Amino acid sequence: MDKINLGRLLVGRPLETKELPHQAISRPVGLAVFASDALSSTAYATEEILITLAAAVGVGAAASAAGSVFGLSIPIAIAISILLVIVTISYRQTIYAYPNGGGAYIVARDNLGEVPAQIAGAALLTDYILTVAVSVSSGVAQITSFPAFRSLQPYRVQMAVTVIVLITIINLRGVKESGRIFAIPTYFFLLMMFLTLGSGLVQLLTGTLGTVDPESVEMFHQETVHNLGLFLILSAFSRGCTALTGIEAISNGITAFKKPRSHNAAVTLIWMSSILITLFLGITVLAHQIEAIPSHTETIISQMARTVHGDAGILYALTLAGTALILLMAANTSYADFPRLAALAAADGFLPRQLTYRGGRLVFSWGIMLLALFAIVLVVIFNASTTSLIPLYAIGVFLSFTISQTGMVVRARRIGRLKPGESAAGMETPLEYDPYWRRHMLISGFGAVCTFIVMLVFAVTKFTEGAWFVLLLLPTLVLIFFRIHRHYKDVAKALSWESVPPDTTPRPVKTLILVDDVHMETVRLVNFAKSLQHPWQAIHVGVNPEKSEKIVEKWQKRIGEGELVILPSPYRLLAEPIREYVESLQQENPGCFVHVIMGHLAMDTFWAQALHQNTAFIFNLTFAQMDNVVFTTVPYQIHRPSHAEMEAYKPDNEDIIVSR
Amino acid sequence: MDKINLGRLLVGRPLETKELPHQAISRPVGLAVFASDALSSTAYATEEILITLAAAVGVGAAASAAGSVFGLSIPIAIAISILLVIVTISYRQTIYAYPNGGGAYIVARDNLGEVPAQIAGAALLTDYILTVAVSVSSGVAQITSFPAFRSLQPYRVQMAVTVIVLITIINLRGVKESGRIFAIPTYFFLLMMFLTLGSGLVQLLTGTLGTVDPESVEMFHQETVHNLGLFLILSAFSRGCTALTGIEAISNGITAFKKPRSHNAAVTLIWMSSILITLFLGITVLAHQIEAIPSHTETIISQMARTVHGDAGILYALTLAGTALILLMAANTSYADFPRLAALAAADGFLPRQLTYRGGRLVFSWGIMLLALFAIVLVVIFNASTTSLIPLYAIGVFLSFTISQTGMVVRARRIGRLKPGESAAGMETPLEYDPYWRRHMLISGFGAVCTFIVMLVFAVTKFTEGAWFVLLLLPTLVLIFFRIHRHYKDVAKALSWESVPPDTTPRPVKTLILVDDVHMETVRLVNFAKSLQHPWQAIHVGVNPEKSEKIVEKWQKRIGEGELVILPSPYRLLAEPIREYVESLQQENPGCFVHVIMGHLAMDTFWAQALHQNTAFIFNLTFAQMDNVVFTTVPYQIHRPSHAEMEAYKPDNEDIIVSR
């Protein structure tokens, strides 16, 4: 039975439970692993601001007019950076309070209760899916911005889907030693970006910095041209806030760090935010200096890199490659986050329990496949356009920021009620007296208010562009989560010892065998039915009266014992007539088990099996709904006959219609 | 159990076998039903010729130079029309020879044997899939050519896929009285086309016919510019030959006509070909007069209609609508042809037998879904571009033409061997003496040679553009068909009475019950095992040692009889440890049946069921491969408890981990 197994080949050999990694990582590796999501957003955040502002630049407006409008991107980016600082300081507290990992779901569950926790859960799960869709779409846009690959632009959707499928396969394999391999793209990206920004700065200071030739780029096509008003500025601000996505990653992954974990994680968070702000502001300023043009055929990063490094430069290609790589890494982090959070919610009984099972390779396979499926659907619907996906994106991130920080406020308030030296258990991390609780509460509270306001701005300015969908989706998801929870409670109740008095007194068993034709498989069925030594009957569902007659004949000639009942079926249904017959049998013999037995032709290979109607599956579904009906399949293995056997075989004219 | 059933809602109530339609249709209805495929090809045939010729027109060439190159489309169209006349005359003979329907598959099987029949089958099945992909892609291109819908162009793939899904649902319902409804789009299309061509002619004669403004259309972008040589002309000719696709439809559907069937079908064929030639030549000439520009953003039909009827005219919109409609009808005919041919080949044992089953609505549901799946894959891969799909298309059509006509040659030769008045049976239609056999043979032979040459031209000129794929695919398919055939013969042999001596002497039965946790469902399992009255054992696969210990405890406390065996499983596998245990049991008790019983939590609804791991399925697969192992599921129905029951329920701490 040594077969080549496609699944095994793609996904690898199974791993033992004890092989779960318990490897602690250093700060530089931690930065690489957890920062890719946050840092990669600089690849599109500036672009999104410019695209929004482009609505105020009339088609064919003078370059100077366009320049002054696009110049607004700089104060907007500064405002976003300030918000980033606030959120960073607030999350630093969470890291110290939850050294075992303090994602929004855990903080909310611990401090605010089930409903806010499930809202945070729904928001985060949605955002992990969007991270994959947005990052892969932007990554593909970077690649197709490169002149040599520009002819691939019509295939962006197909490319994005292929990339998602590849990431999915890699993650189904499970990534061992992931940290160190992940470090390479992150640092490569940082190197290329700082090189580009640095060269740009030098060229700016020496007055040699070029600008983007407006003829070379097709400007983003905007349907309606607004006037430049507060709405547009807020709109640009909220789109730019995508730069903050991914900042919570470190607080989820504290346990991965070397001890002292919280301290190392907190330092890494500060590093990450500093780099993020530097990059984001640097890109925004440089984009303005080179008069970059928001476009859907060439990304801002591409325009920047080719202006600084030259059209044909290898550095241009490397910058784009680095950007595409870190975007893939960002998508990849969702493949760890989504399944882990889904497993957490599933263990709490709010998502299907299947999501808690680790597959053969120790990864949450169902979660990974679910994530891939939804991300592919999004990429296809939104044509792999980052700009179309963004309005769906940041709202959930800011909702989870708000919930998480509100949770921290409640926590600080509870700590405030403790007496000096007192502590309170019963939570994820026990509450301990802290004289600075007021300060913590203020910081978290201020963060919560800021992110809440941004969320509102986002919901209003992006409402018609897609935010409405998320605002509708999140409550729906929460409702579904609670219905699932109710279901599991119902099942536990139904299976509990108190619901019915247990009784295992033997009962009579009536055996029915389902007969499709009379051949060697039928012999096996009759053999098993006789071996059971309960009263038995054979049943044939007659779709075709001529065939039924032949079968009765064959039965008499070949089996010659027992009773064969023909049940007519003018609608060609198979399960219905049998169901009715079983019900009448149960009425005649109350309290008995009806034992339905059918054959199953088992082939050596999947493909051979696929050539047969696997009717057993349909019957299984039917009989599962009937009380006291037990369903049995008796397999009959078909092995390929040898050449000699086939040569010797003379088909019998009245023989074999293999219709199952 | 009166539930709303989504499948039923979409697909409709089941129909009785005797409801199969036996309605004869008149010539005008027959024309509408069978001609849509052939006539609709005029929507893209001219365009394909111009697109090929465009390669010889340099970018920015003078209009006069372009005009002279595009003028070649007229002689090419005339050559194609002559070919069409030849094929029509040849197929007219087939209609008389095969009054019960003479598709290429039947003619080849009847006259040439299994291999040519399967080649024709493979070619036709591939072409039916391509008909759907090409027609829907072209239909979507017509719609997005209309100015109001031009913004939908980036969504052509998604639109095409949606259309295919809709056609599929309609066909899964089955189309009753299809003929008369189908007549409307065909005649509407003809009306609009003759109106357009007629107006165009009048305008041409009165000197008021306009031309297409070259600024208004983006010319088809050609990577390499060839010189105008024989290769290019042949290439344009072979692309234009797509006009002939669908011409064989009538010979497939003779039985649908009123009596005298063959005569009515033959007359309809002549009508169809005449209309086809008129339309094709008319469109080609008019396209040349208006200086139409091959483009991938606006179809030739659209350019023609707006030049003749004016940009804003309702007639322009109606012409495009009519064209899109007949293209949908053409795609729809494949939904009848593909499943019918697949069922025919499946009945002969060359395709999976499932394809012969008519579903609840009397249609071949599997065939329909297979066709839809492949068509969607093609549309996605080729970006819904008619031009990219065409090189794959006509090669199979011409291959089946050639095979079918060669079959007719062989048939005429056989008739020539008969003596006057003599006839020979044993074929689909008995051979009867015919003094004109030589003439028939010559006509079919000439047709076969012509279509064979066109096929070669096609294979050579389109080889690098995709024909290579079809040339590789067809033999592969034929190989698969024969492997399937071999498999069914193997199974028949294995099940035949002579392979093993039948023996139904009762044998000992060892019962094993699989236990996941000890709750009310376990009680049912034990009850059934005891009712069978054979020796039994309970088995638990221990993935988690702590959980296993608890289960042993519960078993002793709650069941208190029988033996519970724990099988450790460090790799979290469920089936493997049980398989090994069963094997050891079989070695100890040779010749016994091992009867494995497991529980199945049966929920009221599909969604509730989906919340549970349906492990029974996995076990079924494992045990199916083991000789003399019988697998039984004992369902335990979970109904939703009432509110009062839930209120009264106090969960028992040591209770229930619903992990299955």
Side-chain angles (χ1 to χ4, degrees):
Chain A
M1 293 298 287
D2 259 80
K3 284 178 288 178
I4 289 172
N5 181 320
L6 185 68
R8 176 75 56 100
L9 200 71
L10 282 172
V11 164
R13 71 163 180 94
L15 297 173
E16 237 180 298
T17 311
K18 62 185 183 201
E19 292 181 65
L20 263 177
H22 286 292
Q23 190 190 12
I25 57 177
S26 65
R27 288 184 210 161
V29 175
L31 182 70
V33 172
F34 294 110
S36 63
D37 187 4
L39 296 182
S40 70
S41 53
T42 57
Y44 46 82
T46 302
E47 186 164 302
E48 291 301 320
I49 297 174
L50 293 178
I51 278 176
T52 315
L53 293 175
V57 181
V59 176
S64 62
S68 72
V69 171
F70 288 138
L72 277 171
S73 60
I74 294 171
I76 290 173
I78 292 172
I80 293 168
S81 301
I82 293 171
L83 184 66
L84 211 156
V85 171
I86 296 167
V87 173
T88 302
I89 295 172
S90 178
Y91 262 80
R92 205 176 152 270
Q93 298 193 148
T94 311
I95 288 175
Y96 281 106
Y98 285 88
N100 296 320
Y105 182 78
I106 289 172
V107 174
R109 191 180 62 182
D110 210 23
N111 298 296
L112 302 173
E114 272 182 353
V115 176
Q118 296 312 317
I119 297 174
L124 285 170
L125 291 174
T126 321
D127 276 317
Y128 293 142
I129 295 167
L130 280 155
T131 300
V132 175
V134 167
S135 303
V136 171
S137 298
S138 175
V140 168
Q142 307 294 343
I143 294 165
T144 55
S145 289
F146 192 67
F149 301 129
R150 224 164 269 183
S151 60
L152 291 173
Q153 291 208 343
Y155 296 94
R156 270 153 66 153
V157 173
Q158 286 95 326
M159 286 169 75
V161 170
T162 310
V163 167
I164 294 175
V165 170
L166 289 178
I167 302 180
T168 306
I169 291 172
I170 291 170
N171 278 279
L172 286 174
R173 290 190 67 98
V175 189
K176 255 194 149 183
E177 302 249 35
S178 47
R180 257 149 247 171
I181 297 167
F182 282 16
I184 301 167
T186 306
Y187 286 107
F188 176 57
F189 168 73
L190 287 180
L191 176 73
M192 292 317 301
M193 287 315 287
F194 282 117
L195 205 65
T196 307
L197 293 176
S199 306
L201 185 66
V202 170
Q203 290 175 18
L204 180 65
L205 295 178
T206 57
T208 56
L209 184 65
T211 56
V212 176
D213 172 13
E215 292 295 300
S216 69
V217 185
E218 193 186 331
M219 180 140 142
F220 187 79
H221 174 72
Q222 212 85 1
E223 284 290 316
T224 46
V225 176
H226 309 279
N227 288 320
L228 184 66
L230 182 65
F231 186 84
L232 198 68
I233 293 174
L234 285 177
S235 189
F237 169 77
S238 61
R239 269 186 183 266
C241 279
T242 50
L244 270 76
T245 57
I247 203 162
E248 77 289 359
I250 291 177
S251 63
N252 280 324
I254 308 169
T255 48
F257 281 89
K258 282 188 182 152
K259 286 180 182 168
R261 284 178 183 165
S262 287
H263 175 68
N264 281 326
V267 173
T268 311
L269 176 68
I270 306 291
W271 285 358
M272 178 176 87
S273 295
S274 313
I275 297 172
L276 179 55
I277 290 173
T278 315
L279 278 188
F280 179 48
L281 289 178
I283 291 171
T284 308
V285 170
L286 188 59
H288 182 59
Q289 291 297 331
I290 62 165
E291 295 168 18
I293 295 157
S295 158
H296 55 177
T297 52
E298 187 180 0
T299 63
I300 295 292
I301 300 285
S302 167
Q303 294 178 37
M304 222 172 69
R306 75 177 160 91
T307 308
V308 171
H309 301 305
D311 264 31
I314 180 85
L315 287 175
Y316 172 31
L318 287 178
T319 308
L320 284 186
T323 312
L325 260 180
I326 199 167
L327 284 162
L328 293 191
M329 283 297 124
N332 194 64
T333 55
S334 284
Y335 277 83
D337 294 337
F338 181 96
R340 195 179 45 207
L341 179 57
L344 210 61
D348 291 347
F350 287 94
L351 278 180
R353 283 282 154 86
Q354 287 94 321
L355 291 166
T356 62
Y357 295 102
R358 284 181 185 274
R361 297 284 296 181
L362 287 173
V363 295
F364 297 112
S365 320
W366 281 109
I368 290 173
M369 287 189 281
L370 218 59
L371 172 64
L373 179 75
F374 287 129
I376 288 173
V377 167
L378 281 179
V379 162
V380 170
I381 292 180
F382 290 95
N383 245 337
S385 153
T386 314
T387 306
S388 313
L389 284 163
I390 289 288
L392 302 172
Y393 191 16
I395 200 162
V397 176
F398 280 85
L399 179 56
S400 68
F401 283 166
T402 310
I403 292 174
S404 161
Q405 292 173 109
T406 310
M408 292 304 289
V409 171
V410 171
R411 187 181 169 87
R413 186 81 203 78
R414 285 198 185 133
I415 289 175
R417 291 209 194 94
L418 297 176
K419 295 196 180 74
E422 201 185 1
S423 69
M427 303 188 80
E428 199 77 31
T429 2
L431 300 175
E432 266 168 44
Y433 176 75
D434 184 341
Y436 303 112
W437 66 272
R438 260 178 233 279
R439 193 168 76 194
H440 293 322
M441 194 171 81
L442 269 174
I443 293 175
S444 299
F446 183 64
V449 169
C450 291
T451 50
F452 182 68
I453 291 171
V454 173
M455 192 191 81
L456 286 185
V457 168
F458 209 96
V460 171
T461 57
K462 297 281 152 269
F463 188 80
T464 54
E465 288 171 47
W468 64 269
F469 177 72
V470 176
L471 291 174
L472 220 67
L473 177 72
L474 291 181
T476 313
L477 285 180
V478 172
L479 210 75
I480 292 172
F481 292 177
F482 275 94
R483 288 206 57 171
I484 290 173
H485 195 56
R486 160 91 208 237
H487 170 79
Y488 284 122
K489 283 203 288 191
D490 289 354
V491 172
K493 156 79 184 141
L495 292 178
S496 79
W497 216 246
E498 47 189 81
S499 50
V500 206
D503 174 18
T504 61
T505 324
R507 300 194 250 159
V509 177
K510 300 274 167 200
T511 307
L512 295 179
I513 66 176
L514 305 186
V515 169
D516 179 56
D517 195 352
V518 184
H519 42 55
M520 287 311 292
E521 190 201 19
T522 326
V523 174
R524 174 68 57 94
L525 282 179
V526 171
N527 190 0
F528 180 65
K530 282 171 73 180
S531 301
L532 284 178
Q533 297 180 322
H534 295 278
W536 65 276
Q537 262 185 334
I539 283 187
H540 172 74
V541 180
V543 171
N544 176 341
E546 283 168 45
K547 194 190 155 192
S548 303
E549 262 175 54
K550 267 195 195 162
I551 284 166
V552 172
E553 240 173 73
K554 283 197 213 173
W555 180 271
Q556 280 158 356
K557 193 172 135 200
R558 293 178 164 182
I559 307 290
E561 61 178 315
E563 187 193 351
L564 174 66
V565 180
I566 304 284
L567 305 174
S569 173
Y571 289 93
R572 302 169 312 290
L573 293 171
L574 292 174
E576 276 306 311
I578 302 173
R579 171 205 273 273
E580 283 163 22
Y581 189 77
V582 169
E583 277 167 0
S584 69
L585 208 65
Q586 283 181 321
Q587 274 169 356
E588 285 166 31
N589 307 274
C592 78
F593 277 114
V594 177
H595 189 189
V596 182
I597 303 178
M598 76 175 286
H600 170 71
L601 291 178
M603 306 293 155
D604 285 342
T605 63
F606 170 79
W607 294 110
Q609 195 71 57
L611 293 176
H612 296 267
Q613 281 245 105
N614 298 292
T615 354
F617 184 68
I618 302 163
F619 284 118
N620 231 323
L621 287 181
T622 312
F623 298 124
Q625 294 303 332
M626 300 181 70
D627 207 19
N628 294 318
V629 175
V630 172
F631 182 67
T632 295
T633 46
V634 177
Y636 187 78
Q637 289 83 21
I638 305 277
H639 304 293
R640 211 173 151 165
S642 68
H643 189 68
E645 278 179 305
M646 279 309 285
E647 285 294 300
Y649 169 55
K650 305 271 170 295
D652 171 0
N653 249 348
E654 54 160 338
D655 223 17
I656 325 294
I657 316 150
V658 188
S659 58
R660 207 181 54 242
Chain B
M1 293 297 287
D2 259 81
K3 282 179 287 178
I4 290 172
N5 181 321
L6 184 67
R8 174 77 54 102
L9 200 71
L10 283 173
V11 165
R13 72 165 178 92
L15 298 173
E16 238 179 297
T17 312
K18 60 184 186 202
E19 293 180 64
L20 263 176
H22 285 292
Q23 190 191 11
I25 56 177
S26 64
R27 287 185 211 160
V29 175
L31 181 70
V33 172
F34 294 110
S36 63
D37 186 4
L39 297 181
S40 70
S41 53
T42 56
Y44 45 83
T46 302
E47 187 165 300
E48 292 301 320
I49 296 174
L50 293 177
I51 278 176
T52 316
L53 294 176
V57 182
V59 176
S64 60
S68 70
V69 170
F70 289 139
L72 276 171
S73 60
I74 294 170
I76 289 172
I78 291 171
I80 292 168
S81 300
I82 294 170
L83 184 66
L84 211 156
V85 171
I86 296 167
V87 173
T88 303
I89 296 172
S90 178
Y91 262 80
R92 206 177 150 269
Q93 299 193 149
T94 311
I95 288 176
Y96 282 106
Y98 285 88
N100 296 321
Y105 183 77
I106 289 172
V107 174
R109 192 180 61 183
D110 210 23
N111 299 296
L112 301 173
E114 272 182 353
V115 176
Q118 296 313 318
I119 297 175
L124 285 170
L125 290 174
T126 321
D127 276 318
Y128 293 142
I129 296 167
L130 280 155
T131 301
V132 175
V134 168
S135 302
V136 171
S137 298
S138 175
V140 168
Q142 307 294 344
I143 293 166
T144 55
S145 289
F146 193 67
F149 301 130
R150 225 165 268 183
S151 60
L152 292 174
Q153 290 208 344
Y155 297 94
R156 270 152 68 153
V157 173
Q158 286 96 327
M159 286 169 75
V161 170
T162 310
V163 167
I164 294 176
V165 170
L166 290 178
I167 302 180
T168 307
I169 292 172
I170 291 169
N171 278 281
L172 285 174
R173 288 189 68 96
V175 189
K176 256 194 147 182
E177 302 248 35
S178 48
R180 257 150 246 170
I181 297 168
F182 282 16
I184 300 167
T186 306
Y187 285 107
F188 177 58
F189 168 74
L190 287 180
L191 176 74
M192 293 317 301
M193 287 315 287
F194 282 117
L195 205 66
T196 307
L197 293 176
S199 306
L201 185 66
V202 170
Q203 290 175 19
L204 181 66
L205 295 176
T206 56
T208 56
L209 184 65
T211 57
V212 176
D213 172 14
E215 291 295 300
S216 69
V217 185
E218 192 185 331
M219 179 138 146
F220 187 79
H221 175 71
Q222 213 86 359
E223 285 290 317
T224 47
V225 176
H226 309 279
N227 288 318
L228 185 66
L230 183 66
F231 185 84
L232 198 68
I233 293 175
L234 284 178
S235 189
F237 169 77
S238 60
R239 269 185 183 265
C241 279
T242 50
L244 271 76
T245 58
I247 202 161
E248 77 289 359
I250 291 177
S251 63
N252 280 325
I254 309 170
T255 47
F257 282 88
K258 281 187 183 151
K259 285 179 183 170
R261 283 178 185 164
S262 287
H263 175 67
N264 282 325
V267 172
T268 311
L269 175 68
I270 306 290
W271 286 358
M272 179 176 85
S273 295
S274 314
I275 297 171
L276 180 54
I277 290 173
T278 314
L279 278 189
F280 179 48
L281 289 178
I283 291 171
T284 309
V285 170
L286 188 59
H288 183 60
Q289 291 298 333
I290 62 165
E291 295 168 20
I293 295 156
S295 158
H296 56 175
T297 52
E298 187 179 1
T299 62
I300 296 291
I301 300 284
S302 167
Q303 293 177 38
M304 222 172 69
R306 75 176 160 92
T307 308
V308 170
H309 302 305
D311 264 32
I314 180 84
L315 286 176
Y316 171 31
L318 287 178
T319 308
L320 284 185
T323 313
L325 260 179
I326 200 168
L327 283 161
L328 293 191
M329 283 297 124
N332 194 65
T333 55
S334 284
Y335 277 83
D337 293 338
F338 181 96
R340 196 179 44 207
L341 179 56
L344 209 61
D348 291 346
F350 287 95
L351 277 179
R353 283 282 154 85
Q354 287 94 321
L355 291 165
T356 62
Y357 295 101
R358 286 181 184 273
R361 296 284 296 182
L362 287 175
V363 294
F364 298 112
S365 321
W366 281 109
I368 290 173
M369 287 188 282
L370 218 59
L371 172 65
L373 179 75
F374 287 128
I376 287 173
V377 168
L378 281 179
V379 162
V380 170
I381 293 180
F382 290 96
N383 244 338
S385 152
T386 314
T387 306
S388 312
L389 284 163
I390 289 287
L392 302 173
Y393 192 17
I395 200 163
V397 176
F398 281 85
L399 179 56
S400 68
F401 283 165
T402 310
I403 293 175
S404 161
Q405 293 173 108
T406 309
M408 292 304 290
V409 171
V410 171
R411 187 181 168 87
R413 187 81 203 78
R414 284 197 186 135
I415 288 174
R417 291 209 195 92
L418 296 177
K419 297 198 178 72
E422 200 185 3
S423 69
M427 304 188 78
E428 199 77 31
T429 2
L431 300 176
E432 266 168 41
Y433 176 76
D434 184 340
Y436 303 112
W437 67 271
R438 260 179 235 278
R439 192 168 76 195
H440 293 319
M441 194 171 79
L442 268 174
I443 293 175
S444 299
F446 183 64
V449 170
C450 289
T451 50
F452 182 68
I453 291 171
V454 173
M455 193 191 79
L456 286 185
V457 167
F458 208 95
V460 171
T461 58
K462 297 281 152 267
F463 188 80
T464 54
E465 287 172 46
W468 64 269
F469 177 72
V470 176
L471 291 174
L472 220 66
L473 178 71
L474 292 180
T476 313
L477 285 179
V478 172
L479 210 74
I480 293 172
F481 292 176
F482 276 93
R483 288 206 58 171
I484 290 173
H485 195 56
R486 159 92 208 235
H487 170 80
Y488 284 122
K489 283 202 286 191
D490 289 354
V491 172
K493 156 78 185 140
L495 292 178
S496 79
W497 217 245
E498 46 189 80
S499 51
V500 205
D503 174 17
T504 61
T505 324
R507 300 194 251 157
V509 178
K510 300 275 166 198
T511 307
L512 295 180
I513 66 176
L514 305 186
V515 169
D516 179 56
D517 195 355
V518 184
H519 42 53
M520 286 313 291
E521 190 200 19
T522 326
V523 174
R524 174 69 57 92
L525 281 179
V526 172
N527 189 1
F528 180 67
K530 283 171 72 180
S531 301
L532 284 178
Q533 297 180 324
H534 294 279
W536 64 277
Q537 262 185 334
I539 283 187
H540 172 75
V541 180
V543 171
N544 176 340
E546 285 168 42
K547 193 188 156 190
S548 304
E549 264 176 53
K550 268 195 194 162
I551 284 166
V552 173
E553 242 173 69
K554 283 196 211 173
W555 180 271
Q556 281 158 355
K557 192 171 135 200
R558 293 177 165 182
I559 307 291
E561 62 178 317
E563 187 192 351
L564 174 66
V565 180
I566 305 285
L567 305 175
S569 173
Y571 289 94
R572 301 170 311 289
L573 294 171
L574 292 174
E576 275 306 312
I578 302 173
R579 170 205 275 272
E580 283 164 22
Y581 189 77
V582 168
E583 277 167 0
S584 69
L585 209 64
Q586 283 181 320
Q587 275 169 354
E588 286 165 32
N589 307 273
C592 78
F593 277 115
V594 177
H595 188 189
V596 182
I597 303 178
M598 76 174 286
H600 170 70
L601 291 178
M603 305 292 154
D604 285 341
T605 63
F606 170 80
W607 293 110
Q609 195 71 57
L611 293 176
H612 297 267
Q613 282 245 104
N614 299 292
T615 353
F617 183 68
I618 302 162
F619 284 118
N620 231 324
L621 288 180
T622 312
F623 298 124
Q625 294 303 331
M626 300 181 71
D627 208 19
N628 295 318
V629 175
V630 173
F631 182 66
T632 296
T633 46
V634 177
Y636 188 80
Q637 288 83 22
I638 305 277
H639 303 294
R640 212 175 150 163
S642 68
H643 189 69
E645 278 178 304
M646 279 310 285
E647 286 294 300
Y649 169 55
K650 305 272 170 295
D652 171 0
N653 250 348
E654 56 161 336
D655 223 19
I656 324 293
I657 317 149
V658 189
S659 58
R660 209 182 53 241

